[in-house]
Structure formats: structure tokens, C-alpha cells
């Protein structure tokens, strides 16, 4: 089978790009031919002309439509796997796939099909106004992008895609990464029979993991308001007897007073990241917003570590509840509840080990590259027919 992967890269390499690259590798490892149609936003938003071009192309990109037609004629793929179309490809290019008779599978990384910003977030907290109102103008009313030009542009491109039914009429299957995401698409009017859930995945060692009792509470991710890292700082203030370590890039100015039991280790990758996770007792993701599919949970599970996360979005199904839970959930935004979950788990190291082992087992059974690749192969064979 030949698969055409379509993606408009973001300004900086992101988790979405990593998933696109992993998808290509997975397909090739399974014996399929892979070709690409990729654009990039890098360097295009630093100038006025670049911003105007992005504004207009997000609504309709003549070049994106033409180049999609050309790559379909040249490569003659059996299936098209679409990731991100904004701003330089645009949803209008999907009609070229329909005209060519090539089925489209769209990997749904975020909430952009029903929320102009793609995040279901406003002022760092969950917002579903555009879903509830069945239109995009809340993005303009609340200036969700903190720039009128961007907010209008984002709302307009979503509105045009909805009016032209580019997604509704041209996409054979929508591959959501969580069931929470699937439910939101169904609520927005997308046909339930065309939506499947295929989670993100990660490579898993064949060797049995041996969970260890670490010496600090770990945070992994960018240091920004919506991520809720300040909530964890507040817990650290209350518990000087517990060590807290934060790994990630600072994305915003902060005048927060950091206690002596907090250490910032910067952005980590490779072996340093592995050692950071292994040295922790457990990880905490205090996010105020839904997130998409928090890969940190899988990265922690690789090393037999559990995660404390908010009781909303995809966290509920990945971490789980009751006897099947591989971590703990707290009420979003509530420091007192977060504090209780952290202190209870910190004082029970054997429970950390038990949850860590369950996390690894769940990772291996549901989120390993081997398991998820089989789901993708089945889906692509179905739409090819």
C-alpha cells in the first residue's frame, strides 16, 4: 500500500511533528510505501506579509490545492493520511483527494475541527463555547489568540471549512487519539461511524521494568500557566520536607517566589530525560486545560512511574479510575486536592511501586508501538477497500 502523509509543520518542532515522523517510520516498518506533502510555517510569522499570507491561505490556499492535485497525480497513493492543513495547505485541498477518488484518514491531534485555536482553552482554562454555540465567533468575541488578526483568521478558516463541508464530505475516517476527543466530535455532528480511536504510542522495552522508589516529585513539560506548574509550586511551599524538580522550558515571565525545595533542571532530552524520570518517585501533571494526549504519562510508564493528573479530558481514560487506575486524579485547579494526592502518594512508596508496575503493564498492552501499529494497519486496509 502507498500512503501519502500530508502535514503543515508548525513554527518549531512539536509533539505533533514527532507523531507524524513516527507514523511514517511505522508504515515503512510494516512494509508500506510512504510519500509526503509537507509545508512549514517556520519563519513565516515574523513579518507582516507572512502573517497576511497565513491569514488568507488558512481560509483558501490556491497553491495548497494545486500542489495537492500534483502530488496525487505524481504519487498515486492508495490512502492519504492528513495531519495538519493550516495555514498553507488549507481544507480546500481535501476536495482534490475526493476528485481523485483517494480515501482520506485524518489523524485528529487536537480540537481544531471544532475549536479555532485547537485547544478548547481560554485564559488557561477549558472552554467549549464554540462547540456549544455551533459556530466559531467566540474566538473573535473573546480574542482567544490575544491578537484580533489571528483570532479573526482562525475563526474565519474554521467557518469556511464548516460551510464548505471540507471535512464532512472529504474525510473517510477521523482517527482520534482519545475517546474524550471522539465524544466531542460526535457532539459537534461528526458521524459516529466514521470516527475511530487510535491512541498515540511509544516504544516499549521487552525487558520487565523494575520500578524504583525515587527521591523527588517530578514535573515534565513547559512552564506555563495552562500547564498549572504554579499549583505544584504552591504545594511545594506547603511541604518543605518534599523535594520537587521541574524539567521544561520557561515560556512566560514569572514573579513567583520559589521555595528552597524546588529545583529547575531546564529542558531535558535523551539519557538525561530518562534519568530524570527514573530518579523520581512519581510525576505530576497539574494541567488546567484538557491537553490532547499527554505523552508524559507514557514516558513515565516506560520507566515504571505513575502520574498524578487532573480529573478531566484524556487524563481520565489514560490514567484511569478505580482498581484499574495507574495513577491518581485530582480536581482541576484545586491546590488542596492536589496537595492531598501528592502527600498521600509520597508517604506510601510501595503504592508508588505498585502503580508504576501497573502503568508499565498498561503501556505494553494498550499504548506500545507494536499494539497501535496493528490498529493503524487495520484502519488503512478498511478505507482502501
Amino acid at each position: 500500500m502507498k500512503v501519502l502523509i500530508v502535514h503543515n509543520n508548525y513554527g518549531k518542532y512539536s509533539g505533533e511533528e514527532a507523531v507524524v515522523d513516527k507514523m511514517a517510520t511505522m508504515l515503512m516498518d510494516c512494509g508500506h510505501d510512504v510519500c509526503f506533502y509537507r509545508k512549514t510555517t517556520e519563519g513565516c510569522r515574523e513579518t507582516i506579509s507572512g502573517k497576511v499570507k497565513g491569514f488568507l491561505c488558512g481560509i483558501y490556499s490556491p497553491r495548497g490545492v494545486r500542489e495537492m492535485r500534483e502530488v496525487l497525480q505524481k504519487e498515486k497513493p492508495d490512502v492519504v493520511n492528513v495531519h495538519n492543513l493550516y495555514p498553507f495547505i488549507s481544507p480546500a485541498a481535501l476536495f482534490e483527494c475526493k476528485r481523485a477518488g483517494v480515501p482520506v484518514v485524518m489523524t485528529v491531534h487536537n480540537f481544531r475541527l471544532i475549536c479555532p485555536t485547537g485547544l478548547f482553552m481560554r485564559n488557561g482554562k477549558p472552554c467549549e463555547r464554540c462547540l456549544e454555540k455551533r459556530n466559531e465567533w467566540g474566538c473573535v468575541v473573546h480574542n482567544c489568540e490575544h491578537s484580533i488578526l489571528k483570532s479573526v483568521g482562525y475563526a474565519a478558516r474554521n467557518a469556511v471549512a464548516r460551510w464548505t463541508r471540507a471535512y464532512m464530505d472529504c474525510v473517510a475516517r477521523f482517527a482520534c487519539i482519545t475517546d474524550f476527543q471522539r465524544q466531542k466530535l460526535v457532539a459537534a455532528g461528526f458521524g459516529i461511524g466514521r470516527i475511530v480511536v487510535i491512541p498515540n504510542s511509544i516504544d516499549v522495552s521487552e525487558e520487565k521494568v523494575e520500578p524504583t522508589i525515587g527521591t523527588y516529585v517530578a514535573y515534565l513539560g513547559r512552564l506555563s500557566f495552562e500547564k498549572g506548574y504554579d499549583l505544584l509550586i504552591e504545594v511545594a511551599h506547603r511541604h518543605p520536607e518534599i523535594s520537587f524538580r521541574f524539567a521544561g522550558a520557561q515560556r512566560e515571565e514569572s514573579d513567583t517566589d520559589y521555595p528552597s525545595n524546588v529545583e529547575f533542571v531546564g529542558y531535558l532530552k535523551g539519557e538525561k530525560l530518562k534519568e530524570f524520570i527514573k530518579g523520581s518517585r512519581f510525576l505530576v501533571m497539574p494541567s488546567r486545560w484538557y491537553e490532547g494526549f499527554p505523552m508524559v504519562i507514557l514516558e513515565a510508564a516506560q520507566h515504571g512511574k505513575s502520574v498524578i493528573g487532573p480529573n478531566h479530558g484524556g487524563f481520565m481514560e489514560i490514567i484511569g479510575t478505580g482498581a484499574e487506575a495507574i495513577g491518581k486524579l485530582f480536581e482541576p485547579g484545586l491546590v488542596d486536592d492536589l496537595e492531598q494526592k501528592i502527600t498521600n502518594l509520597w508517604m506510601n512508596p510501595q503504592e508508588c511501586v505498585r502503580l508504576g508496575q501497573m502503568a508499565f503493564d498498561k503501556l505494553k498492552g494498550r499504548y506500545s508501538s507494536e499494539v497501535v501499529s496493528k490498529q493503524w494497519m487495520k484502519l488503512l486496509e478498511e478505507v482502501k477497500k
Side-chain angles (χ1 to χ4, degrees):
M1 183 189 307
K2 191 171 191 177
V3 181
L4 171 64
I5 293 179
V6 178
H7 182 60
N8 194 134
N9 290 9
Y10 294 91
K12 294 182 180 180
Y13 194 82
S14 67
E16 195 164 319
E17 265 81 58
V19 172
V20 172
D21 292 340
K22 185 176 178 60
M23 180 72 176
T25 301
M26 179 190 72
L27 288 168
M28 289 185 286
D29 287 345
C30 291
H32 299 297
D33 292 331
V34 175
C35 51
F36 296 93
Y37 175 38
R38 294 182 85 156
K39 306 288 283 185
T40 183
T41 310
E42 185 175 3
C44 296
R45 293 182 175 174
E46 282 70 35
T47 64
I48 295 297
S49 62
K51 291 177 181 179
V52 172
K53 182 180 178 182
F55 179 102
L56 296 174
C57 287
I59 297 172
Y60 181 88
S61 173
R63 183 173 180 178
V65 171
R66 184 184 72 252
E67 290 180 345
M68 178 71 90
R69 183 188 313 125
E70 291 172 352
V71 74
L72 288 169
Q73 292 172 349
K74 177 184 176 182
E75 299 292 349
K76 294 181 172 51
D78 297 297
V79 178
V80 173
N81 176 218
V82 168
H83 292 263
N84 175 45
L85 295 169
Y86 294 119
F88 297 124
I89 301 175
S90 81
L94 294 174
F95 288 101
E96 295 303 315
C97 301
K98 185 176 182 180
R99 292 187 185 97
V102 183
V104 174
V105 175
M106 183 168 194
T107 301
V108 185
H109 292 274
N110 46 49
F111 302 101
R112 187 162 283 123
L113 292 175
I114 45 181
C115 166
T117 69
L119 303 175
F120 263 171
M121 179 179 72
R122 176 159 52 92
N123 297 327
K125 297 180 180 180
C127 171
E128 298 185 19
R129 186 187 189 279
C130 291
L131 172 60
E132 294 164 358
K133 298 293 184 179
R134 292 297 184 97
N135 64 54
E136 303 76 15
W137 303 116
C139 184
V140 179
V141 171
H142 298 289
N143 192 15
C144 293
E145 283 296 314
H146 306 289
S147 161
I148 289 298
L149 177 66
K150 286 182 70 175
S151 294
V152 170
Y154 281 27
R157 69 190 192 184
N158 266 44
V160 170
R162 178 168 57 85
W163 295 336
T164 60
R165 295 181 59 87
Y167 296 115
M168 292 289 194
D169 292 347
C170 301
V171 177
R173 294 287 190 281
F174 297 92
C176 292
I177 51 178
T178 64
D179 189 64
F180 177 80
Q181 194 182 57
R182 181 191 68 83
Q183 292 174 29
K184 297 304 177 185
L185 286 189
V186 172
F190 287 79
I192 191 170
R194 295 162 59 198
I195 307 172
V196 298
V197 177
I198 302 181
N200 286 342
S201 64
I202 200 167
D203 296 337
V204 183
S205 172
E206 289 299 319
E207 298 179 8
K208 185 177 181 181
V209 70
E210 295 292 341
T212 58
I213 299 173
T215 58
Y216 51 85
V217 174
Y219 170 94
L220 178 59
R222 66 179 178 272
L223 305 176
S224 55
F225 179 78
E226 73 275 4
K227 287 287 191 176
Y229 83 103
D230 56 301
L231 303 176
L232 195 53
I233 296 292
E234 175 58 32
V235 175
H237 271 291
R238 299 180 185 184
H239 293 275
E241 77 281 5
I242 302 176
S243 294
F244 294 79
R245 294 188 188 179
F246 292 71
Q250 185 85 36
R251 291 292 181 89
E252 56 194 30
E253 295 295 325
S254 174
D255 57 0
T256 303
D257 177 31
Y258 301 121
S260 59
N261 59 328
V262 167
E263 179 183 356
F264 293 92
V265 300
Y267 178 79
L268 302 178
K269 59 182 180 179
E271 288 301 317
K272 289 185 177 180
L273 176 58
K274 291 180 182 179
E275 292 305 314
F276 175 76
I277 295 173
K278 287 179 180 179
S280 69
R281 187 163 297 185
F282 53 84
L283 283 77
V284 180
M285 292 193 70
S287 296
R288 287 185 167 91
W289 69 298
Y290 291 147
E291 303 251 5
F293 189 105
M295 289 297 289
V296 170
I297 302 174
L298 303 192
E299 291 173 324
Q302 272 185 313
H303 305 290
K305 301 294 179 178
S306 62
V307 173
I308 295 176
N311 189 24
H312 64 196
F315 290 95
M316 294 186 293
E317 60 196 86
I318 304 170
I319 294 177
T321 59
E324 301 300 317
I326 62 171
K328 301 293 182 181
L329 297 171
F330 75 99
E331 286 300 311
L334 297 185
V335 176
D336 291 347
D337 193 34
L338 177 60
E339 176 190 17
Q340 182 184 49
K341 296 300 190 299
I342 289 174
T343 54
N344 286 349
L345 198 53
W346 179 263
M347 295 300 292
N348 193 346
Q350 292 307 315
E351 176 68 357
C352 295
V353 171
R354 185 187 73 82
L355 290 173
Q357 184 61 62
M358 289 188 65
F360 180 79
D361 292 342
K362 184 173 183 177
L363 171 66
K364 196 166 185 178
R366 292 182 59 176
Y367 302 121
S368 71
S369 298
E370 182 180 359
V371 170
V372 172
S373 67
K374 292 178 181 177
Q375 296 174 31
W376 268 109
M377 295 310 107
K378 179 180 178 183
L379 174 60
L380 293 176
E381 288 292 344
E382 286 178 358
V383 298
K384 180 186 173 184
K385 298 175 182 178

